Amino acid sequence: DAGVTQSPTHLIKTRGQQVTLRCSPKSGHDTVSWYQQALGQGPQFIFQYYEEEERQRGNFPDRFSGHQFPNYSSELNVNALLLGDSALYLCASSPDKMNTEAFFGQGTRLTVV
Amino acid sequence: GIQVEQSPPDLILQEGANSTLRCNFSDSVNNLQWFHQNPWGQLINLFYIPSGTKQNGRLSATTVATERYSLLYISSSQTTDSGVYFCAVPYSGGGADGLTFGKGTHLIIQP
């Protein structure tokens, strides 16, 4: 079992550009959630995808959007990048059942310059 | 949404010492997870513990759901225990939610 995998591991973008981050869930998991972790802070919930639809969203602007594919993998897109979007982006997967454990990927470290 | 507070924010101990990390949450939840974040950013699952007590080697955790807190115990600390420890609960209390994290406890174990 490969666990949750994310790509790329590191990325440098220029302010104003757009970025796409990718996540493959753990085998047997169909729900994917995305988190942003700024330096020195805990991860902040961005949104959750299930059955190819956004099911729940945290307090993030519409510049943050996502997609889930039929194989349950997911993308996070961020438009019009700001310097403040520099962070570690984490993906988590879980089965769509109540009270189940979430597992995280190794993250993508995004730097906006 | 739910508020999660962790204490202490920082903890420096000598190798071999024991420690207790605390997580308080503001509303009823039906799951709670503890994680250890390594220096490369990977969140390692320690415990999934909505209630009761669990043990895994030198680590154990207790959640008292009715009083809205959880404790993580680390015994006989080793330098490899260093890092940031997070607790997390469902974003709006429901079991299938995304997670709300505390700000973490930064643990440093000195040789």
Side-chain angles (χ1 to χ4, degrees), chain A residues 33 35 37 41-43 45 48 55-59 88 90 97-106, chain B residues 30-31 33 35 37 39-43 45 47-48 86 91-92 94-99 101-103:
Chain A
S33 302
Y35 297 80
Q37 186 177 19
Q41 302 294 317
F45 174 64
Q48 183 181 84
R55 177 163 71 177
Q56 190 182 33
R57 190 178 184 94
N59 188 24
L88 179 67
L90 294 161
K97 302 174 187 175
M98 295 291 288
N99 307 327
T100 58
E101 193 172 358
F103 292 84
F104 283 78
Q106 82 283 12
Chain B
N30 50 22
N31 80 49
Q33 291 188 239
F35 298 92
Q37 190 165 42
W40 299 271
Q42 175 85 49
L43 282 169
N45 289 42
F47 293 101
Y48 169 75
F86 290 103
Y91 189 72
S92 58
D97 286 356
L99 297 172
F101 284 75
K103 292 185 177 181

Side-chain angles (χ1 to χ4, degrees), chain B residues 17-65:
Chain B
N18 301 327
S19 58
T20 301
L21 283 57
R22 187 176 179 101
C23 172
N24 292 333
F25 42 96
S26 61
D27 206 344
S28 299
V29 298
N30 50 22
N31 80 49
L32 184 144
Q33 291 188 239
W34 282 98
F35 298 92
H36 176 209
Q37 190 165 42
N38 66 24
W40 299 271
Q42 175 85 49
L43 282 169
I44 309 297
N45 289 42
L46 297 178
F47 293 101
Y48 169 75
I49 183 166
S51 64
T53 297
K54 290 187 177 180
Q55 181 153 9
N56 184 3
R58 296 181 295 104
L59 274 61
S60 64
T62 295
T63 297
V64 184

Side-chain angles (χ1 to χ4, degrees), chain A residues 6 16 23 25-26 37 41 53 60-61 63 65 69 76-77 85 88 95 100 104 107 110-111 113:
Chain A
Q6 293 185 242
C23 173
K26 188 177 170 66
Q37 186 177 19
Q41 302 294 317
E53 291 191 358
F60 278 81
R63 296 188 298 109
S65 63
F69 299 93
L76 164 66
N77 301 293
D85 294 331
L88 179 67
T100 58
F104 283 78
L110 172 65
T111 302
V113 298

